[in-house]
Amino acid sequence: MTAVFRPRPSVVRRDSGFYGYERALERRGLGPVAGVDEAGRGACAGPLVVAAVVLGVRIDGLDDSKLLTASRRESLHERITATARAVAVVVIPPAEIDSRGLHRSNIEGMRRAVARLPCDPGYVLTDGFPVPGLPAPSLGMWKGDRVAACVAAASIVAKVTRDEMMIALHERHPRYGFAVHKGYGTADHRRALRTYGPCPDHRFSFSTVARSGAGEVMGENEVGAGTV
């Protein structure tokens, strides 16, 4: 019978720093370590964007993308994409979210992102919950983007990529204010939904959109006269 390799348990101290998990895994021969995170899970419009990152060098200042200013995220995004060993991004459109469901779309997006990495990770750290079906051992980490550098890097890549996409959608549908709220259900966004009804880039399976009940769906090329 072939013996199954099981690495010795490794304890990561609270004070081991943002790179503690990667260092511990690499010492056990489980590198390179990929971090995976998403952006847009709670939005009612626009895509879900999932990123996977294998860091190449230490980058100071990494943090949960939600805790960073837009300019700081953009600066870190440039450094990540310039120095990372591998970066992969998956975009899941609203129609797929509606047909597959949000959580299943998220899981599938994480699998696709890891599969698209140009190198094979030895271990995968995912933000929030475990992801079955990955090509390497993995760990779902509660608030992983605040405790593991590679997950934080993935959160920044996903967030910056999605924000740029929502700004582009604002040009097509300016009446909703996508450039401001990025598709999340703010008061202004809900008011626009009640006034104009949803556009093709809304998630029709979400209750905020389903409850809007105003007008017909805007055509692909129709744009409003101004922002909310």
Side-chain angles (χ1 to χ4, degrees):
M1 180 181 295
T2 303
V4 177
F5 170 71
R6 298 184 184 278
R8 291 186 294 109
S10 182
V11 177
V12 179
R13 294 169 54 90
R14 288 181 179 272
D15 59 357
S16 60
F18 220 32
Y19 290 81
Y21 282 93
E22 285 98 321
R23 288 198 302 267
L25 288 165
E26 288 168 358
R27 284 198 300 268
R28 298 295 183 268
L30 293 172
V33 181
V36 188
D37 201 1
E38 50 74 26
R41 182 179 175 88
C44 61
L48 179 71
V49 176
V50 184
V53 175
V54 177
L55 289 170
V57 298
R58 186 185 184 93
I59 299 176
D60 293 330
L62 290 177
D63 205 343
D64 176 1
S65 62
K66 297 183 291 296
L67 302 179
L68 301 168
T69 64
S71 61
R72 184 61 177 157
R73 282 195 300 266
E74 291 166 4
S75 175
L76 286 167
H77 179 267
E78 291 181 3
R79 294 182 62 191
I80 293 165
T81 54
T83 64
R85 178 172 176 178
V87 176
V89 176
V90 169
V91 176
I92 300 178
E96 183 174 345
I97 296 171
D98 287 338
S99 63
R100 188 188 295 270
L102 178 63
H103 185 66
R104 288 181 61 192
S105 296
N106 202 351
I107 293 289
E108 180 62 22
M110 290 185 170
R111 290 177 184 145
R112 292 180 195 172
V114 173
R116 291 184 185 179
L117 287 169
C119 66
D120 295 328
Y123 207 90
V124 180
L125 299 176
T126 60
D127 183 55
F129 46 82
V131 177
L134 293 174
S138 64
L139 174 67
M141 307 179 71
W142 175 248
K143 295 189 181 298
D145 46 10
R146 301 188 187 186
V147 296
C150 59
V151 180
S155 79
I156 291 169
V157 171
K159 172 67 173 169
V160 172
T161 301
R162 186 177 187 277
D163 282 358
E164 291 174 351
M165 296 181 71
M166 295 309 296
I167 291 170
L169 282 180
H170 176 80
E171 298 299 318
R172 296 176 59 188
H173 308 296
R175 62 177 66 182
Y176 296 100
F178 290 148
V180 178
H181 52 66
K182 307 302 188 294
Y184 288 88
T186 64
D188 282 348
H189 190 184
R190 294 195 301 272
R191 185 159 51 248
L193 274 168
R194 290 194 298 269
T195 302
Y196 306 114
C199 75
D201 291 294
H202 278 96
R203 302 176 186 177
F204 292 86
S205 58
F206 278 47
S207 59
T208 303
V209 178
R211 287 197 303 263
S212 62
E216 297 180 356
V217 177
M218 288 173 57
E220 284 287 346
N221 297 318
E222 182 183 353
V223 295
T227 58
V228 176

